[in-house]
Amino acid sequence: MANNAVTNFHANSRLHFIGSWRARYDVFLDAKLAQKQHDSATNRTRDVASTSRATPRTIFHVDMDCFFASVAMRARPELSTETPLAVSWGTSASKRGEVSSANYAARAFGVKAGMWLDEALRLCPELVLAPYDFAEYEKVALEVYEILFEASRGECVGISCDEAFIDVTSRCESEDAVAVAEQIRRDVYAKTKCACSIGIGSNMLLARLATRRAKPDGAFRVEPKDEREFIAKTRLADLPGFGRHAGEKLQKSTKIRVTDTCETLLKVPVATLKSALGAQKTEKLLEAARGIDKTPWCVRPQRKSIGAQMSWGVRCASNEVAMDYVKQLVREVAYRMQRLKIRGRALNLKLWRAIPDVNTMRDYQGHGACDVLTRTKAMRELSNDTELIISEALTILRELNVEATSIRGLGVSITKLEHGAETATSPGAKQPTLSQMFAKRTAEKATHEEETCVLAASDEELAETESEGDDDVADTQSQLTQNDCDFTLFNSQAEIDSDRERSIRDAFEAAARAYAWQRFELGRLKLSKRRRDTLSEDEYARRACARAADVIATQARRSYAQDGETGLNALLNDARALCRSQELLHETYSSQGAAFIAAWLDRVDSVGKTIVIGSSSL
C-alpha cells in the first residue's frame, strides 16, 4: 500500500511547498487583518489602473534574490559570498537531484534552477549542496511579509513565499520612492540576512518588469515620463504570461520572435495578430505591450481552486494502492479546505498514465513520458467533507479505468468554491455518516451468524428501532435531515440537472438514509433486545423505498404527458441510473447494499408498468 507516501512526498517536495504557500499565507493574512482591524478599504478589490488620481500610483514589486539558496547561505556563516551553492533534494554522491535554486556565485558557472545535479557538478565541481529546509523558508518569508505590511500600511498583495506587490502611493507623496525601496531592502536584510530586489512602477506590470533591471540586490524605478520608452524596448519574452506556445504561433504567422521588442509587435496589424493568437489573447498582449495593466488590486483575492498532487515516486502494484493514493490526496485537500472554511462544488481528478513501450531508467522515480488525463465531476452537494470527496474521487478513478501499474501520478483539486463556510463536521454532531453506519456490518453479521437463539423482547422495547410502517420511515427521514446525515454510500453517476430529475435524486437519497438509519439503529441494540422475527434486509429496504414511489410516479406521469413513452423511459432510466454503483455496493456492503438497490429498481419498474398499463386502458 501507499501508506504515508503522499505525506512524505509533500514534506520533501519543493513544488508542494510553493503550491501550498497560499494556505499558509492566508492564515498569516487573517491574523494581520484581525490584529490591525483593517477597514473595508484595505480588504476590498479596487482597480488600480482606473483609479482617478492627479499623480500616478507607486507600486513596488519585491522579489527575494535566489530565495532558497539565500536561506541556506545564512544557515552556514562559514561560507563566503563567493562560495557557489545550490539547493537540491539530491546529493553529490547520487547526482540524481534537480537544482531548485542557485546563488549568484554558482550562476556564474552556468548552474541554474531546473538543471540536473550531474550537469551542475560538471560545470562547477566545487558546488556546495544544501537540502531543503521548508520550515526555515516559511519563517523567513513571514518575516519579510511583516516588514512589507508595515511599510505599506497593509496594502500588500502576496504572490508567493518570495514575491509580493505593495502599494506605497500615499507614503511616496512625501518621500522619494527609491529611498523608500532602499529602506525596505535594508530592513529585510537586517531581519533575515537575505537580499531582495525591488522594481518600481505605476502599475504591477511595470513594477515587475523594473525588477529585472533591479537584480541583483538593487532597486530600479520606471519614471512616469519614461514608461513609453521603457516598455517599447522590452522584449516580448519578458512580458508575464507570454509563453513559448504563444511565441511559436506568433513567429509562424508574423515572423515576430520572442526576442523582439514590444515596439516591433505594435507595428503588426491587429487582424494578423488575432488570426494567430485569437481576439482575447491579442487584446491582452497589446495592452501589455503598451504598458497597460488592468489587474485589480486585491489584498485578499478569492481562491478559485484548492488541490494537491503527486507525480514523483508513484508506482501502484494494484488498484487498492492507487485508491490509497487518491484517499491521501483528498485528505490533504479536505484538511486545507476545512481549516480555511472553504467548500466546493466541483471535483477534478488528474492522472498521469505511462505511455507504453517508452524506456526509462531502471531506478527512475519520476513520471517519465505520460499521457495526462483529467476529469471533472460536479459533486452532489457543496462540501468539504473528507469522506464525500473520497467517494466522488474514487468514482472518477474507476471511470477512467486505467491499469494501476501504468499510473505515474495523481492529483485532486476542488473548484467552484464558496468561502467563509463552516466545516462539514460540526463538533456537536452525533449523526454518523452512512459509511460509518455500514462499517459495522461485518461485525454485526458475524454476531448474527454465531448467535443461534435471539431472546424475545417486548413490543415496547423494539418500537424504538423497528419500522412498522411508512409513517415511521418518514419520521426517520425527518430525523436524518435534522441531523444533517451526509450521503456517502449510494453514488449517482447520472447528470441530474432538471428539477424533475433532481426530485427523484432527493427521493433516492432520503430512502437510502432511512434504510441506513434503520439498520444502524438496530445494530445498536443488545442481542437481548432483538426479536427472533426481526425484519429481513429486503423488507427494511422495501419499506425505505415505499415513500419514494409517490415522487417517482408524479414525475413519471408528467414526463409521459409531456413527451409520451420517450419522456417516460428517459426519466425511468435516470432513476435506474442512480444505482449504477450496484456492483460496488454488493462487493463492499454485501446484502445490505444489494437489498436496497433491488428494492429501488423494483419500485421504479412497478411505477413504469403502472403508468403504461393505466394509459393503455384509457
Side-chain angles (χ1 to χ4, degrees), residues 55-57 200-202 206 220-233 290:
T55 57
R57 305 203 70 85
I200 309 168
S202 62
L206 293 172
F220 179 82
R221 182 183 187 183
V222 180
E223 297 286 350
K225 63 181 178 62
D226 298 328
E227 287 180 356
R228 179 173 297 183
E229 181 181 358
F230 174 82
I231 195 67
K233 295 181 179 180
R290 295 186 179 103

Side-chain angles (χ1 to χ4, degrees), residues 13-15 17-18 64-74 85-88 100-103 130-134 136-138 161-162 194:
S13 169
R14 170 181 62 92
L15 294 179
F17 174 79
I18 294 173
M64 303 299 294
D65 293 340
C66 44
F67 182 53
F68 286 8
S70 295
V71 173
M73 286 289 291
R74 81 170 196 161
L85 178 143
V87 176
S88 174
S100 66
S101 179
N103 64 6
Y132 291 133
D133 190 347
F134 298 122
E136 196 67 12
Y137 305 152
E138 180 176 353
C161 60
D162 62 347
C194 295

Side-chain angles (χ1 to χ4, degrees), residues 303-322:
R303 277 179 172 270
K304 294 183 179 180
S305 67
I306 184 167
Q309 66 182 34
M310 179 176 178
S311 58
W312 179 268
V314 176
R315 298 295 185 271
C316 303
S318 64
N319 290 332
E320 288 71 21
V321 176

Side-chain angles (χ1 to χ4, degrees), residues 595-608:
F596 181 86
I597 294 298
W600 176 264
L601 293 176
D602 180 70
R603 189 63 67 176
V604 172
D605 292 339
S606 298
V607 168

Side-chain angles (χ1 to χ4, degrees), residues 459 461-469 472 518 521-522 525 531 533-535 540 543:
D459 291 339
E461 290 174 326
L462 191 64
E464 62 181 286
T465 60
E466 183 174 322
S467 170
E468 294 291 345
D472 290 334
Q518 291 296 322
E521 281 288 75
L522 183 66
L525 289 181
R531 193 169 58 186
D533 58 345
T534 296
L535 298 179
Y540 275 114
R543 294 192 178 196

Side-chain angles (χ1 to χ4, degrees), residues 33-160:
L33 295 178
Q35 174 186 345
K36 293 180 176 294
Q37 297 182 345
H38 269 315
D39 58 22
S40 59
T42 299
N43 205 27
R44 73 179 186 276
T45 298
R46 66 177 160 81
D47 189 343
V48 176
S50 62
T51 302
S52 177
R53 294 184 56 84
T55 57
R57 305 203 70 85
T58 304
I59 307 297
F60 285 6
H61 176 242
V62 183
D63 192 14
M64 303 299 294
D65 293 340
C66 44
F67 182 53
F68 286 8
S70 295
V71 173
M73 286 289 291
R74 81 170 196 161
R76 304 179 68 169
E78 72 277 8
L79 299 180
S80 72
T81 57
E82 302 301 321
T83 303
L85 178 143
V87 176
S88 174
W89 56 265
T91 64
S92 300
S94 68
K95 299 183 181 181
R96 294 298 303 276
E98 184 181 9
V99 174
S100 66
S101 179
N103 64 6
Y104 286 104
R107 295 182 188 185
F109 287 89
V111 178
K112 57 184 179 180
M115 180 179 289
W116 289 104
L117 276 185
D118 57 351
E119 182 181 358
L121 290 170
R122 282 198 302 270
L123 294 173
C124 181
E126 302 302 319
L127 183 66
V128 175
L129 297 180
Y132 291 133
D133 190 347
F134 298 122
E136 196 67 12
Y137 305 152
E138 180 176 353
K139 175 185 175 182
V140 174
L142 294 180
E143 289 175 345
V144 173
Y145 271 106
E146 287 281 359
I147 295 171
L148 298 183
F149 263 79
E150 184 67 26
S152 65
R153 299 165 189 168
E155 288 286 354
C156 177
V157 176
I159 304 300
S160 68

